[in-house]
């Protein structure tokens, strides 16, 4: 499995949020035993959702991403992953229910190819997105020929990095990202 640089710091055993946004990176290529372990932490409706995926690789990535999510949220709440209860808000966005004891904890998950990002915060909505950059789909020569000058600059800034630093206004420094006084902690799972 490829492991990009720089490495993100390993998280503490106890997690808490003050006025922060935590972004977690998780690799979705895991041994079969871990896939089954993650599957056991999912609710019946999430297992059914996983079973509806046509391709095994998509099913596994969904299971591992959701399993990692329940592990992470459980650490914030001091609960076992299988004790968490999820519901769905507008646009099928998953949310913790009152029964989970933390309706103010907000999160979002995105996964693509072999990686997932999980963002967690408190008392505000959050979104995160990750996409695999494929050289054959957005080669720099194609950008020069078909993209507007703005799109070409944007592509050049992000080519091979996978994050739009200029658009987000983030400055990434050794496992932390800073934007207008906010500190985002980037954490390796």
């Amino acid at each position: 499995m490829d492991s990009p640089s720089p490495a993100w710091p390993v998280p503490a055993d106890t997690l808490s949020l003050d006025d922060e946004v935590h972004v977690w990176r998780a690799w979705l290529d895991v041994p079969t035993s871990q896939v089954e372990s993650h599957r056991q932490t999912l609710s019946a409706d999430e297992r059914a959702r996983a079973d509806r995926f046509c391709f095994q690789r998509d099913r596994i990535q969904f299971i591992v991403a959701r399993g990692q999510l329940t592990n992470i949220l459980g650490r914030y709440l001091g609960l076992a992953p299988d004790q968490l209860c999820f519901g769905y808000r507008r646009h099928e966005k998953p949310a913790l229910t009152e029964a989970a004891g933390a309706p103010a904890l907000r999160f979002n998950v995105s996964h693509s190819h072999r990686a997932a990002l999980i963002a967690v915060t408190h008392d505000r909505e959050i979104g995160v997105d990750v996409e695999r950059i494929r050289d054959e789909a957005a080669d720099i020569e194609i950008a020069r020929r078909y993209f507007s000058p703005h799109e070409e600059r944007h592509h050049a800034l992000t080519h091979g990095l996978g994050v739009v630093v200029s658009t987000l206004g983030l400055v990434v420094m050794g496992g932390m990202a800073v934007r207008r006084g906010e500190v985002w902690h980037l954490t390796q799972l």
Side-chain angles (χ1 to χ4, degrees):
M1 165 178 21
D2 297 331
S3 182
S5 292
W8 290 11
V10 176
D13 290 334
T14 304
L15 300 173
S16 65
L17 288 167
D18 294 316
D19 191 26
E20 301 173 325
V21 173
H22 293 182
V23 179
W24 299 74
R25 175 181 65 191
W27 298 119
L28 303 177
D29 285 338
V30 298
T32 304
S33 62
Q34 286 184 25
V35 174
E36 188 52 38
S37 177
H38 284 305
R39 185 177 173 78
Q40 297 307 313
T41 67
L42 302 182
S43 65
D45 67 312
E46 285 192 314
R47 285 193 298 270
R49 184 175 171 191
D51 291 341
R52 288 192 298 267
F53 281 95
C54 294
F55 300 106
Q56 182 177 2
R57 108 180 148 257
D58 296 334
R59 184 177 315 114
I60 288 171
Q61 289 182 0
F62 175 83
I63 290 168
V64 174
R66 292 297 179 155
Q68 291 283 14
L69 172 67
T70 59
N71 286 329
I72 290 167
L73 295 177
R75 290 174 68 187
Y76 284 104
L77 299 171
L79 297 171
D82 60 358
Q83 292 180 300
L84 300 178
C85 297
F86 292 91
Y88 291 92
R89 293 195 308 256
R90 201 171 62 155
H91 305 296
E92 295 294 312
K93 187 173 181 176
L96 290 168
T97 63
E98 295 284 336
L105 194 65
R106 300 284 192 251
F107 61 89
N108 192 250
V109 180
S110 178
H111 54 88
S112 177
H113 192 53
R114 299 179 309 192
L117 289 181
I118 300 167
V120 183
T121 192
H122 192 266
D123 278 333
R124 59 184 160 194
E125 293 303 318
I126 184 87
V128 67
D129 192 25
V130 63
E131 289 296 328
R132 175 182 176 210
I133 295 177
R134 298 178 301 166
D135 289 334
E136 65 274 9
D139 183 85
I140 196 72
E141 291 303 317
I142 294 173
R144 284 189 183 127
R145 183 169 182 179
Y146 296 106
F147 292 3
S148 71
H150 174 75
E151 292 169 327
E152 184 183 349
R153 280 190 305 277
H154 179 80
H155 173 74
L157 285 171
T158 61
H159 188 71
L161 299 177
V163 66
V164 184
V165 174
S166 61
T167 301
L168 295 175
L170 294 175
V171 177
V172 179
M173 301 176 296
M176 291 181 20
V178 180
R179 179 180 73 173
R180 285 174 288 201
E182 298 175 349
V183 176
W184 296 20
H185 297 276
L186 309 175
T187 306
Q188 169 82 26
L189 290 181

